[in-house]
Amino acid sequence: MARTTIHDVARAADVSVSTVSKALNGSGRMAAETRARIKQVAEDIGFRPNALARGLLFNRSFTIGLLTNDTYGRFTLPVMAGVSEALVDKGVSVFLCAIEDDPALGKIHVDAMLDKQVDGIIATGKRIDRSLPVDLSGLPVPVVYAFTEGAPGSVTLTSDDAQGAGLATDWLLGLGRRRLVHVTGPQDFASVRERSAAFRVHAGADAEVLCGVWAEQWGHEAVARLWDNGDEKPDGVVCGNDQIARGVIDALRERGVRVPQDVSVVGFDNWEIMADQARPPLTSVDMNLKELGKEAGRTVLALAEGKLIEPGLRKLPCRLVVRQSCGGGSA
């Protein structure tokens, strides 16, 4: 069966091809009734333009580029899932380009995206306080930044680290834990500084914060430091990521300290493969990266359609996923 074309729509509606084009892409001057009638005719006869035809019809490619240096995919994959989910019903495709930390490779991919006439670009990365190693300012298409540092005057989306740390701390306080400590990553990360400051706002200005590396081994070392110093031991630990939290849980178990009966532990990231396999399963702050991706997708599409979007930094709220490591049941 032959594919229905724009010429078929024109014949069925008894109008010119150019009138059909204007009616379907929302351009030109015509009566609202005429535009609605043509759209209804197109739907009735099963007109569905192919990708090339749609591009000509709407002067768009219906593709969005996703650029990242997070080649491991820990943060990019959930962001991309959200982008795709937000755009699939709009008939927009997303293609991913991984640039590692190579400026030359970044430029190659950006040039390729522009050659493909993408409608917009979403840039995402491994941390919120580092930009990708390629200049995306001044491009002829809109650029939205998600979980990476944006250019001045851009739309940038990140998770609200302070709010997430507050959620974790308040949950432990609500369980009756009073001697809290925060074990987290390197202090040169903006997320570490924001979470640490929020932790102290909720747990007390003198609450202890230990900074190390993003690894399970640091969790082991932090427990050794806390349990071997002769001071009063904590009954709640808020960790900067799930790897650290898993190390903390394992180190406590090796010392005969029960989790969550003696010490409650909360992680950050809600990396499910890590959190679910911890013993016991780990309560963790979810940064809602998929929702971040959805918002980035909706935003870049709106910009591509010429809508005005206020530039600036937007922080999306986190949520707490409660498992057995802190006790107290589900949130």
Side-chain angles (χ1 to χ4, degrees), residues 55-130:
L56 295 173
L57 184 64
F58 294 98
N59 194 31
R60 288 174 50 197
S61 67
F62 291 90
T63 57
I64 295 293
L66 184 63
L67 198 68
T68 183
N69 65 343
D70 175 27
T71 50
Y72 188 69
R74 168 66 193 94
F75 304 108
T76 294
L77 291 180
V79 170
M80 184 173 182
V83 172
S84 298
E85 189 170 314
L87 299 182
V88 65
D89 290 339
K90 308 294 184 182
V92 177
S93 300
V94 182
F95 67 92
L96 173 67
C97 291
I99 66 173
E100 299 179 355
D101 286 310
D102 186 339
L105 184 59
K107 186 177 187 310
I108 289 171
H109 282 310
V110 171
D111 289 345
M113 288 180 176
L114 297 179
D115 287 343
K116 292 178 183 294
Q117 298 183 315
V118 295
D119 296 326
I121 294 174
I122 297 172
T124 185
K126 295 178 285 191
R127 53 190 288 187
I128 62 173
D129 56 348
R130 291 287 186 274

Side-chain angles (χ1 to χ4, degrees), residues 253-302:
R253 184 174 60 249
E254 290 165 5
R255 288 174 175 264
V257 179
R258 299 171 301 167
V259 176
Q261 293 91 337
D262 301 323
V263 179
S264 293
V265 179
V266 180
F268 213 108
D269 293 346
N270 194 36
W271 190 3
E272 292 186 358
I273 192 171
M274 181 73 61
D276 288 337
Q277 294 180 9
R279 298 169 47 207
L282 176 66
T283 293
S284 185
V285 176
D286 191 309
M287 293 187 292
N288 276 337
L289 293 178
K290 187 174 181 180
E291 187 57 42
L292 195 76
K294 289 181 183 178
E295 185 63 21
R298 290 189 288 260
T299 302
V300 78
L301 184 60

